[in-house]
Amino acid sequence: MTGFLSLLFLLGGLILLLFAPRLGLVPRWRARRLRRERAVTEDGLKHLLLYSLRGQPATQESLAGSLRLSARKLVRLLARMEAKGLIHSTAGHIELQPDGERRAREIVRAHRLWERYLTDELRTPLEKVHSEAERAEHTLSRERLDALEAHLGHPLRDPHGDPIPLANGSITEIQARQLSDCFAGEKIEVVHVEDEPEFLFREILALGLRPGQRLQVLESSPEAVVVWDGERRLRLTLPEAANIHVRSAPDLAVRPPGTIPLDQLPELQPAEVVEIDPEFRGLARRRLLDLGLTPSATVVAELRTPFGDPRAYRVRGTLVALRNDQAEHVWVRPKEARVET
Amino acid sequence: MSPQEVLDHADQLRRGLGVDFRDRMVTSLYEESRRIAARVVRRRGESSWDLDQRIDRIVTSPVWGLPLMLLLLAVVFWITIVGANYPSEWIARLLFSIERVGAALFEALGAPGWLTGLVWHGVWRSLAWVVSVMLPPMAIFFPLFTILEDLGYLPRVAFNLDWLFHKAGAHGKQALSMAMGFGCNAAGVISTRIIDSPRERLIAILTNNFVPCNGRFPTLIMLGMLFVGAAVPPALASVAAAGSVVAVVLIGAVFTFFVSWLLARTVLRGQASAFTLELPPYRRPSVLRILYTSLIDRTAFVLLRAVMISAPAGAVIWILGNIHASGASLAEHVARSLDPFGRALGLDGVILLAYIIAIPANEIVVPTMLMVYTGAGMMTEAGSLEELRRILVDAHGWSLLTAVCLMLFSLLHNPCGTTILTIWKETRSARWTALGALMPLGFAFLVTFLVASAARWLG
């Protein structure tokens, strides 16, 4: 009798473990497969949209390459997408249907907003944001995206310079040329850095080039482009220069001479705030501004800890502590007089 | 224009604002307030270097900053421990005599034995224990702490220590919530509100438990005296006992930094973070404010929550100790089934049982343990250290290893019910509450298991 009862319990437990709604192994496994299927579909739609925006026709080959799918799986994917009315494919040529296009624009918006969030709020290094956003884009709901967009202050561009689609799906393409097409002497602003192929992107970042930066072209030849960023000469290979998009700019944005980062300001030396690094954004920047570190404010380094970091600065009559990795983003110009002790 | 057109137009205009819109707004606000201040605020004299700045030079000086801080902390602890002894005894005597009177009254009225036991020897006794152990140290520690806070000294401590916390991915103000945790972890968790960066605040909440609160200190001190103190020559006994307690606190600090570092790099990677710390001018502390914040806001608040949560625990303890089946109490049965697991951690079944029952409040761990060991029907305490040694060492085979593992377990195990409830109230998230409760427990199991295995392997 006891043996029978325990067997019954064991069986019941096993069935529960496998099939319990939502929590059982089988429902979980199915939910995961559905999520993965959705992610692949959405990646496919995104690929088709980006190609059509660039004016290139997307093919089965380009799709298979971008999604890393075998031919068999690709056929199944296309059939599924076609059945849902997302695409229409005819003899190798694939076209987005209105439903598919709307979904694709939502995904692109999620991807680029998330990249912006990672860069601004979490200060994730630029070379890592793409892969993280690639994962997050499938999990963000419409409501969260709207809230995120408002929180980030309705940004127009992602950290690479690509335009972020509006909530209604419209995308304003940026007008830009490749840096490799510029002439010597031209003054330009970087508006976009292509993030694929990845090795080129990393090389460009390693040189210190970012969207928003102003440059002057010094030389332009079929082998290389040499630019001046106000402090250094940078030499770019032609493939690198072709992956950077620029537009004409009135002048170089050079900080006034004698400007130093705040963490290097000598103690008790008054200085005037010139600017906070334009790249230093999000919560961290807002906090600095809220403390009163706005342009033209006077700041004096007064205290440092036994370890040298953080230091305390007097700003607008109050004493605030800043870590060196924050202070290095605040540029100041030392004044003449020193504080008497 | 229709409302929709207005919204669309606003949306259009907003997109033309540019990324530096917020910058310009803050700058203009500051400029405007500066202009107003210049017109209406008059300054007498131009004191360029005042007393505040002189004090700041000393308390943050490379030479004096850290020693001064340690000295102040030691003084606060000393006053708390010495000052709490006598009131604790008085309160205990008063509350326990009420228990006797109440029980006698029930008997005289002819109430059944189980009712008297449950109400007076169960619920009331647990309340009495928690209040008498918890109230006096808190009523001394919190006002002292609030004086330092009101003076403006505490932000300087956060400033001095920030470098260490920065390395661990945490915020210097965590030093303050940790110090508060010595008084009570629940109060420590509440005090993390001063940390305004989401990631660092969560770190401070989740690691506060690694600071032993004053509910756990008596256990640590008792073990230190009974085992570590007894293991060295009598002349060094008190030094060794005190040293072992300090060592436990330091291990707690190491764990705090290690776990902070781990959290910042794993589960909390996706939380935004920014450092700000203002060093306000020094002020003369206001007595009324200190009494209010420390006694009403902190002490009474924590005490009330602890009382609410430990009363049912008292009932459970009494039931476990008084319902007998096949010759032993329920408590003994449960303890016996937990024994193998307890042994693997260098402890025993009774200790684990006491910790399970004492989840609501750590103050009742030792009394519950003694209840089960002596077979009494209610929580008890030993008359003297000698008697305690007889019960623990001679009758139940405690060794130095048991003591060390128990000290570590007491330091690292899950926070008490009050603290868990507070974590939930502060984060409003089941996920962080579960992590805050289970992660320390996991560390406690792991560390005690490793220590016990290593000790046995080395003989």
Side-chain angles (χ1 to χ4, degrees):
Chain A
M1 191 59 198
T2 342
F4 175 70
L5 266 182
S6 32
L7 195 69
L8 209 63
F9 268 112
L10 200 71
L11 263 178
L14 202 66
I15 289 176
L16 215 58
L17 179 73
L18 282 175
F19 299 108
R22 241 159 33 87
L23 297 174
L25 288 178
V26 172
R28 269 182 200 225
W29 173 77
R30 284 188 50 187
R32 218 178 77 188
R33 214 187 57 173
L34 275 178
R35 269 204 305 276
R36 215 161 33 203
E37 237 172 46
R38 206 182 76 183
V40 174
T41 309
E42 288 174 348
D43 284 339
L45 290 174
K46 195 172 62 169
H47 173 86
L48 296 174
L49 176 69
L50 294 181
Y51 262 56
S52 84
L53 285 178
R54 250 180 267 161
Q56 278 172 303
T59 60
Q60 293 204 4
E61 289 75 44
S62 73
L63 198 54
S66 140
L67 299 181
R68 295 203 191 89
L69 285 181
S70 66
R72 204 160 55 93
K73 281 190 175 165
L74 182 73
V75 170
R76 279 224 297 264
L77 173 69
L78 288 175
R80 215 166 45 227
M81 288 163 82
E82 184 130 23
K84 283 187 188 156
L86 299 172
I87 57 163
H88 181 65
S89 80
T90 41
H93 184 73
I94 312 166
E95 218 173 275
L96 273 174
Q97 295 298 319
D99 270 356
E101 173 144 359
R102 202 172 48 242
R103 190 79 202 103
R105 283 171 190 265
E106 278 171 18
I107 291 299
V108 171
R109 175 167 175 248
H111 181 96
R112 293 182 179 170
L113 273 175
W114 196 253
E115 286 188 331
R116 192 78 258 171
Y117 170 72
L118 289 173
T119 320
D120 289 1
E121 300 291 331
L122 303 191
R123 317 225 355 245
T124 310
L126 211 48
E127 58 269 22
K128 283 192 187 152
V129 297
H130 180 73
S131 53
E132 288 207 19
E134 220 28 45
R135 255 175 285 138
E137 66 189 10
H138 306 294
T139 63
L140 295 162
S141 70
R142 179 95 207 214
E143 292 75 36
R144 262 194 85 189
L145 279 180
D146 290 343
L148 186 68
E149 182 180 36
H151 176 73
L152 293 172
H154 301 274
L156 299 173
R157 304 272 174 76
D158 77 3
H160 307 102
D162 283 313
I164 298 175
L166 304 188
N168 64 19
S170 68
I171 301 178
T172 326
E173 276 301 324
I174 32 171
Q175 301 302 315
R177 302 169 285 153
Q178 291 173 317
L179 177 57
S180 48
D181 293 343
C182 294
F183 304 108
E186 263 191 280
K187 284 174 182 156
I188 50 168
E189 180 187 343
V190 178
V191 292
H192 176 239
V193 179
E194 188 60 54
D195 58 4
E196 276 169 357
E198 207 183 319
F199 76 97
L200 274 183
F201 181 55
R202 279 174 191 275
E203 282 175 16
I204 295 169
L205 291 185
L207 284 170
L209 290 174
R210 301 270 187 286
Q213 207 167 16
R214 298 207 175 158
L215 303 167
Q216 184 166 19
V217 182
L218 297 179
E219 291 166 32
S220 183
S221 68
E223 295 87 49
V225 178
V226 179
V227 293
W228 170 251
D229 71 352
E231 287 163 18
R232 297 169 305 163
R233 279 168 65 97
L234 302 171
R235 189 184 155 85
L236 296 147
T237 62
L238 215 55
E240 286 167 1
N243 268 2
I244 299 175
H245 294 89
V246 300
R247 67 169 170 221
S248 303
D251 224 328
L252 286 185
V254 189
R255 294 190 187 93
T259 311
I260 56 169
L262 183 56
D263 63 318
Q264 286 166 26
L265 184 69
E267 251 172 75
L268 302 177
Q269 164 79 61
E272 185 190 325
V273 175
V274 174
E275 68 163 354
I276 301 176
D277 263 344
E279 278 176 40
F280 192 74
R281 294 174 65 169
L283 180 63
R285 180 190 195 88
R286 293 199 294 277
R287 283 287 146 80
L288 289 183
L289 289 168
D290 293 346
L291 290 172
L293 285 163
T294 54
S296 89
T298 301
V299 49
V300 183
E302 261 187 29
L303 298 172
R304 62 186 184 84
T305 67
F307 306 102
D309 180 24
R311 298 205 300 169
Y313 303 89
R314 188 152 310 263
V315 192
R316 299 182 188 274
T318 56
L319 199 56
V320 296
L322 294 181
R323 288 174 172 171
N324 290 347
D325 64 2
Q326 290 172 294
E328 70 183 8
H329 295 284
V330 180
W331 292 84
V332 298
R333 188 174 41 224
K335 291 181 179 174
E336 292 297 314
R338 275 180 66 86
V339 175
E340 295 300 320
T341 57
Chain B
M1 264 197 212
S2 74
Q4 192 53 47
E5 281 170 347
V6 175
L7 285 178
D8 286 345
H9 187 60
D11 204 45
Q12 205 82 55
L13 290 175
R14 181 170 55 206
R15 271 159 225 291
L17 288 175
V19 283
D20 63 342
F21 170 61
R22 286 185 195 188
D23 285 30
R24 281 185 283 140
M25 206 161 77
V26 178
T27 308
S28 73
L29 285 176
Y30 265 111
E31 269 321 298
E32 182 66 14
S33 38
R34 192 193 57 75
R35 210 176 51 75
I36 296 171
R39 212 172 53 207
V40 299
V41 179
R42 205 167 297 140
R43 277 207 186 86
R44 250 177 302 156
E46 195 62 38
S47 73
S48 61
W49 197 251
D50 57 18
L51 185 65
D52 272 22
Q53 284 162 313
R54 269 176 238 283
I55 298 175
D56 268 340
R57 288 266 135 180
I58 297 165
V59 299
T60 66
S61 101
V63 185
W64 299 110
L66 294 180
L68 198 68
M69 190 193 80
L70 292 176
L71 186 74
L72 271 172
L73 196 67
V75 168
V76 168
F77 275 127
W78 186 78
I79 296 177
T80 306
I81 291 170
V82 172
N85 259 338
Y86 296 99
S88 262
E89 243 168 66
W90 300 332
I91 293 177
R93 214 172 293 156
L94 176 72
L95 293 178
F96 287 131
S97 66
I98 291 179
E99 177 189 338
R100 273 194 301 280
V101 173
L105 188 71
F106 264 48
E107 261 165 46
L109 291 176
W114 63 265
L115 187 66
T116 316
L118 192 65
V119 172
W120 291 107
H121 303 312
V123 173
W124 178 263
R125 205 177 173 83
S126 155
L127 286 184
W129 222 295
V130 170
V131 170
S132 63
V133 176
M134 204 169 174
L135 181 59
M138 283 206 306
I140 298 174
F141 181 81
F142 285 145
L144 288 178
F145 199 74
T146 315
I147 290 176
L148 290 181
E149 187 180 356
D150 233 31
L151 267 173
Y153 177 66
L154 292 188
R156 272 72 183 180
V157 172
F159 178 64
N160 276 339
L161 292 179
D162 180 67
W163 183 81
L164 277 172
F165 286 94
H166 189 190
K167 291 273 158 198
H171 194 296
K173 285 181 193 164
Q174 193 175 330
L176 309 189
S177 64
M178 281 169 72
M180 193 70 126
F182 283 116
C184 169
N185 292 128
V189 168
I190 295 173
S191 74
T192 60
R193 286 180 191 170
I194 54 173
I195 302 175
D196 54 2
S197 170
R199 186 196 307 181
E200 283 80 353
R201 169 140 191 256
L202 270 172
I203 290 178
I205 288 177
L206 296 177
T207 57
N208 195 270
N209 179 55
F210 295 125
V211 178
C213 64
N214 75 42
R216 292 185 267 168
F217 256 109
T219 314
L220 295 176
I221 294 172
M222 184 269 282
L223 291 168
M225 290 199 291
L226 208 53
F227 290 91
V228 183
V232 297
L236 294 173
S238 62
V239 178
S244 67
V245 175
V246 172
V248 168
V249 172
L250 287 181
I251 292 173
V254 169
F255 257 89
T256 301
F257 283 114
F258 168 68
V259 175
S260 301
W261 177 85
L262 206 65
L263 287 171
R265 268 152 200 77
T266 53
V267 284
L268 295 181
R269 224 158 36 113
Q271 302 282 329
S273 138
F275 175 82
T276 45
L277 174 62
E278 273 187 63
L279 304 176
Y282 293 99
R283 271 183 318 202
R284 189 196 308 253
S286 99
V287 179
L288 281 181
R289 216 183 71 89
I290 286 177
L291 287 181
Y292 183 82
T293 25
S294 57
L295 295 183
I296 307 294
D297 259 16
R298 289 174 182 160
T299 311
F301 176 77
V302 170
L303 196 68
L304 199 69
R305 218 177 253 187
V307 161
M308 272 174 3
I309 222 167
S310 64
V316 170
I317 293 172
W318 191 84
I319 290 169
L320 282 176
N322 283 278
I323 295 187
H324 293 262
S326 45
S329 66
L330 278 184
E332 284 165 292
H333 281 298
V334 178
R336 212 169 297 154
S337 65
L338 287 172
D339 210 47
F341 184 50
R343 299 269 168 211
L345 304 177
L347 309 169
D348 66 21
V350 175
I351 301 175
L352 282 190
L353 174 67
Y355 269 102
I356 294 173
I357 300 176
I359 286 175
N362 279 295
E363 286 81 357
I364 54 181
V365 165
V366 176
T368 309
M369 243 154 47
L370 292 178
M371 170 186 95
V372 184
Y373 276 146
T374 58
M378 57 185 95
M379 293 188 287
T380 39
E381 74 183 331
S384 65
L385 272 186
E386 218 22 72
E387 195 188 336
L388 202 59
R389 187 197 314 280
R390 206 175 42 69
I391 297 172
L392 297 180
V393 182
D394 302 341
H396 293 94
W398 279 33
S399 61
L400 185 59
L401 175 65
T402 320
V404 169
C405 284
L406 182 51
M407 282 172 115
L408 288 172
F409 193 81
S410 169
L411 173 74
L412 300 175
H413 81 291
N414 58 288
C416 69
T418 316
T419 308
I420 296 176
L421 192 67
T422 309
I423 295 180
W424 191 78
K425 291 229 157 134
E426 293 297 311
T427 60
R428 291 275 156 196
S429 144
R431 189 172 162 222
W432 297 131
T433 311
L435 188 70
L438 297 178
M439 176 197 61
L441 189 63
F443 274 116
F445 285 152
L446 186 72
V447 170
T448 49
F449 176 72
L450 289 179
V451 169
S453 310
R456 283 182 192 136
W457 186 63
L458 294 169

